[in-house]
Amino acid sequence: MTPDNIRSKKLPWAVDLGVAVVALIVAAAVVLGLGLGNWVLVVVVGIVFYLAGMFAAATRVEGRRSARNRLWKTLIYAACILAILPLASVVWTLVSKGAARLDGEFFGTSMNNIGARDPNGGAYHAIIGTLEQVGLATLMAVPLGVLGAIYLVEYGRGKFALTVRFFVDVMTGIPSIVAGLFILAFWVLIVSPWFNNGTPRFSGFAASLALTVLMLPTIVRSTEEMLRLVPGPLREGAYALGVPQWKTIVKVVLPTALPGIVTGVMLAVARAAGETAPVLLVAGGAAAINFDPFAGNQSSLALYVYQQAGDASRFAPERAWTAALTLVALVLILTIAAKLLARRNRLT
């Protein structure tokens, strides 16, 4: 047996290209000639014709088994492209529409005293509000979520652990408006009057509490899954050396699962940064800059986008697109920084 004898026949790439061109021409003739639709339907019908033509050509040259393999490989590639297209479209739309107001004034001023006919105004107050609210929520949610996951994986046994896991699963699907209403009823209307001479007070801290409620289940579930993926021999080796359980968790388990934990935390941060309803309900929103998250109304980038998108001013859509681009860029920067930090500190 020589390599030449065991090689199977392969369909040339020129045949692939020819079948694709013919499939598109036939699809265009059928769809446009009969007036069934536009170019989108032409592409869809062309893909169907291409798959049929390639399967027939591959069956004749390579054999039926290889043709089936080529067919499914093509379907997998097509599914990957279809999954990437919406993401690429979102990024392109954000960059193309949001680049118009990427200037110093947008990042250095607020919407205070900005009228409908004024082209100026920026999102400095919303950026400050987002950083403070999401930062406080992260400081509260991450320790609670990670410790809760450690309990469920390392210590939790019996009905209480099952009950905690059940409520975490239930909280994962609650709408953000429910979290906002809960903090409004509990913190704003009941607790905050104790610190404000009997008057309810909106604040950025109240929004942080609502975002904490939304972040907790995501952090707990993702951290729990990452801790379960840590190999058991790592724990057993530490126990065999006489290392206490708490030290094994801190020195071995957590560093091993750190990249996955960081991913779950950043998913929760991204969700919190993009929430509008809780901020609108308990922070109130504000056009002026407010650096104090514990007193007074405060805005956020998500709320700013919502307000500008519904504003009647012709200058508002540009502000909304630029704020949306800023929000995505902010989450991207935080994610990259967290990934680099996790890579540097993980167990080697």
Side-chain angles (χ1 to χ4, degrees):
M1 296 292 289
T2 62
D4 292 334
N5 293 332
I6 63 175
R7 281 200 189 111
S8 60
K9 294 182 179 179
K10 291 294 183 181
L11 206 61
W13 66 269
V15 177
D16 280 348
L17 182 60
V19 172
V21 172
V22 172
L24 285 176
I25 293 175
V26 174
V30 173
V31 174
L32 301 179
L34 299 178
L36 300 178
N38 56 10
W39 64 271
V40 177
L41 186 59
V42 171
V43 173
V44 174
V45 176
I47 292 175
V48 175
F49 287 166
Y50 168 76
L51 292 175
M54 279 303 304
F55 184 77
T59 301
R60 185 175 182 84
V61 176
E62 301 177 355
R64 190 172 184 83
R65 182 176 181 181
S66 179
R68 285 199 300 266
N69 179 68
R70 182 184 288 270
L71 175 64
W72 285 107
K73 185 187 295 186
T74 304
L75 289 174
I76 291 172
Y77 287 158
C80 179
I81 293 173
L82 289 177
I84 293 175
L85 280 178
L87 300 177
S89 176
V90 169
V91 173
W92 171 254
T93 304
L94 281 175
V95 173
S96 60
K97 293 182 178 293
R101 284 299 313 274
L102 284 177
D103 50 41
E105 183 180 359
F106 182 83
F107 294 102
T109 60
S110 67
M111 291 298 295
N112 198 24
N113 298 323
I114 300 296
R117 297 183 179 181
D118 193 343
N120 300 321
Y124 180 66
H125 63 298
I127 296 173
I128 294 298
T130 297
L131 293 176
E132 290 184 349
Q133 294 163 21
V134 176
L136 288 173
T138 303
L139 289 177
M140 291 184 286
V142 171
L144 291 175
V146 172
L147 291 175
I150 291 174
Y151 167 77
L152 292 176
V153 175
E154 304 292 340
Y155 298 97
R157 300 292 185 273
K159 293 183 178 179
F160 181 72
L162 294 176
T163 303
V164 172
R165 190 174 290 110
F166 170 76
F167 279 107
V168 168
D169 293 337
V170 171
M171 287 179 62
T172 304
I174 64 171
S176 59
I177 190 70
V178 175
L181 287 173
F182 169 72
I183 298 301
L184 176 67
F186 171 70
W187 181 266
V188 175
L189 298 181
I190 297 178
V191 178
S192 66
W194 296 354
F195 307 99
N196 194 35
N197 298 324
T199 304
R201 170 183 288 179
F202 294 105
S203 63
F205 180 71
S208 299
L209 292 176
L211 298 180
T212 302
V213 174
L214 296 174
M215 293 172 64
L216 264 177
T218 303
I219 295 175
V220 172
R221 291 298 295 158
S222 61
T223 304
E224 181 184 0
E225 294 301 324
M226 291 301 105
L227 293 178
R228 292 188 185 280
L229 291 177
V230 176
L234 289 179
R235 297 182 177 88
E236 295 168 1
Y239 298 153
L241 294 174
V243 180
Q245 185 175 10
W246 70 269
K247 205 165 189 177
T248 301
I249 294 172
V250 173
K251 296 292 186 178
V252 177
V253 177
L254 286 179
T256 305
L258 187 60
I261 294 174
V262 170
T263 300
V265 170
M266 294 315 301
L267 287 174
V269 169
R271 182 191 178 186
E275 290 294 346
T276 304
V279 183
L280 181 63
L281 281 175
V282 300
I289 300 171
N290 179 16
F291 289 99
D292 187 0
F294 298 97
N297 292 16
Q298 201 174 46
S299 185
S300 70
L301 279 171
L303 181 58
Y304 181 84
V305 172
Y306 170 76
Q307 292 172 339
Q308 292 299 311
D311 201 320
S313 172
R314 66 187 181 93
F315 304 105
E318 291 183 354
R319 302 190 195 109
W321 281 112
T322 305
L325 178 60
T326 303
L327 180 59
V328 173
L330 184 62
V331 173
L332 177 63
I333 292 172
L334 292 176
T335 303
I336 293 175
K339 284 288 187 180
L340 293 177
L341 183 63
R343 179 186 299 179
R344 183 175 180 179
N345 293 293
R346 68 183 177 182
L347 183 66
T348 57

